[in-house]
């Protein structure tokens, strides 16, 4: 439901375009690591991934499960609450490993929280926590770096500013871009794995940020399926479906 809802709602709030590296793939049992800048970016990333044929299991702050309606939907669909500084924290990792073994795709935000900045500008991903490296180490799953840009143009700053952003976004329809990088296998110790993932997500974010305001620079892609599907190249020809309207 969450992926379908994001797919239907995000186009009303902004102009979303999606691109990928030539060797990008979203195979079953992959970990998608995305940068986190705004309360709006999970919806943006979910909408982009659904365009590419993927509806991931999301690892998110456990507090969301206490919200009316949303909490019930998260529980029903098998998304994974992350408890910090709690004896239940290890359960999230166990559930994520099990989901990967079942062939599900996991979406994780390795920064572990939102930036404290009040402006709507783009900035590189903050430091990563160790959860992503630990999940990759335990599961052996490949990590697919995803960069998103533009979500802060929908919601950022104070509560009042975020509400105002949501209300005005359908009229403004800011540019939103998601870029999918090539999968990588993390190696080395936990610190090295974390650094590799951070660098890859930062590179994907740079590509996404560079496309803001230039939606025809890279054409939108067809669904990225499992290992049997050939990699989809990032073409340089404008596409009517990705052109700015």
């Amino acid at each position: 439901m969450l992926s379908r809802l994001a797919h239907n709602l995000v186009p009303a709030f902004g102009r979303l375009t999606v691109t990928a590296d030539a060797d990008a793939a979203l195979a079953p049992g992959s970990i998608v690591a995305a940068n986190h800048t705004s309360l709006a970016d999970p919806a943006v990333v979910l909408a982009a991934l659904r365009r590419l044929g993927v509806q991931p299991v999301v690892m998110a702050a456990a507090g969301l499960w206490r919200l009316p309606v949303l909490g019930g939907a998260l529980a029903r669909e098998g998304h994974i609450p992350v408890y910090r500084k709690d004896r239940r924290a290890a359960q999230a990792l166990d559930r994520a490993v099990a989901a990967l073994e079942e062939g599900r795709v996991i979406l994780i935000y390795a920064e572990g929280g939102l930036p404290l900045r009040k402006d709507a500008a783009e900035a590189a991903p903050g430091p990563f926590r160790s959860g992503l490296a630990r999940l990759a180490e335990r599961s052996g799953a490949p990590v697919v770096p995803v960069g998103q840009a533009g979500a802060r143009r929908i919601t950022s700053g104070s509560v009042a500013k975020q509400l105002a952003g949501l209300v005005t976004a359908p009229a403004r329809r800011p540019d939103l871009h998601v870029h999918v990088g090539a999968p990588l296998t993390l190696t080395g110790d936990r610190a090295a794995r974390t650094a590799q993932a951070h660098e890859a997500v930062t590179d994907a974010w740079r590509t996404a940020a560079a496309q803001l305001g230039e939606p025809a620079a890279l054409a939108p892609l067809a669904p990225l399926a499992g290992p049997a599907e050939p990699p989809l190249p990032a073409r340089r020809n404008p596409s009517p479906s990705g052109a700015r309207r």
Side-chain angles (χ1 to χ4, degrees):
M1 184 190 78
L2 289 182
S3 292
R4 183 171 64 252
L5 189 63
H7 174 77
N8 291 331
L9 287 180
V10 166
F13 287 83
R15 301 179 180 90
L16 174 61
T17 50
V18 185
T19 54
D21 286 347
D23 49 353
L26 287 163
S30 297
I31 303 168
V32 171
N35 62 308
H36 199 14
T37 63
S38 163
L39 290 174
D41 68 60
V44 172
V45 171
L46 285 174
L49 292 178
R50 193 172 191 273
R51 284 191 188 183
L52 302 177
V54 174
Q55 299 182 91
V57 172
V58 182
M59 298 183 73
L64 296 175
W65 272 251
R66 295 194 293 268
L67 297 178
V69 183
L70 176 61
L74 290 169
R76 284 192 304 273
E77 296 182 12
H79 299 289
I80 301 172
V82 178
Y83 297 88
R84 296 193 177 94
K85 299 180 180 179
D86 186 292
R87 59 182 176 79
R88 294 169 291 181
Q91 295 176 5
L93 195 60
D94 293 340
R95 291 183 59 183
V97 170
L100 289 167
E101 290 174 348
E102 294 170 359
R104 299 297 304 274
V105 172
I106 294 288
L107 171 60
I108 185 172
Y109 289 95
E111 291 162 274
L114 291 169
L116 299 177
R117 296 181 295 109
K118 300 298 183 182
D119 60 88
E122 290 298 319
F128 280 8
R129 297 175 183 265
S130 64
L132 171 58
R134 288 187 286 126
L135 178 58
E137 182 179 0
R138 277 192 54 182
S139 65
V143 173
V144 180
V146 167
Q148 64 78 28
R152 289 186 68 82
R153 298 178 178 185
I154 299 177
T155 58
S156 59
S158 65
V159 173
K161 185 177 177 183
Q162 292 193 51
L163 290 173
L166 280 173
V167 169
T168 60
R172 295 182 290 112
R173 297 197 68 231
D175 290 324
L176 311 167
H177 194 89
V178 173
H179 183 76
V180 181
L184 66 153
T185 300
L186 304 184
T187 58
D189 60 19
R190 193 163 294 168
R193 291 169 184 261
T194 300
Q196 290 164 23
H198 186 273
E199 181 180 4
V201 173
T202 300
D203 286 346
W205 163 78
R206 286 197 185 100
T207 300
Q211 300 307 313
L212 288 181
E214 303 174 18
L218 291 174
L221 301 176
L224 293 175
E229 294 289 331
L232 293 171
R235 295 173 294 160
R236 293 283 171 175
N237 297 323
S239 167
S241 62
R244 188 172 181 172
R245 289 190 280 275

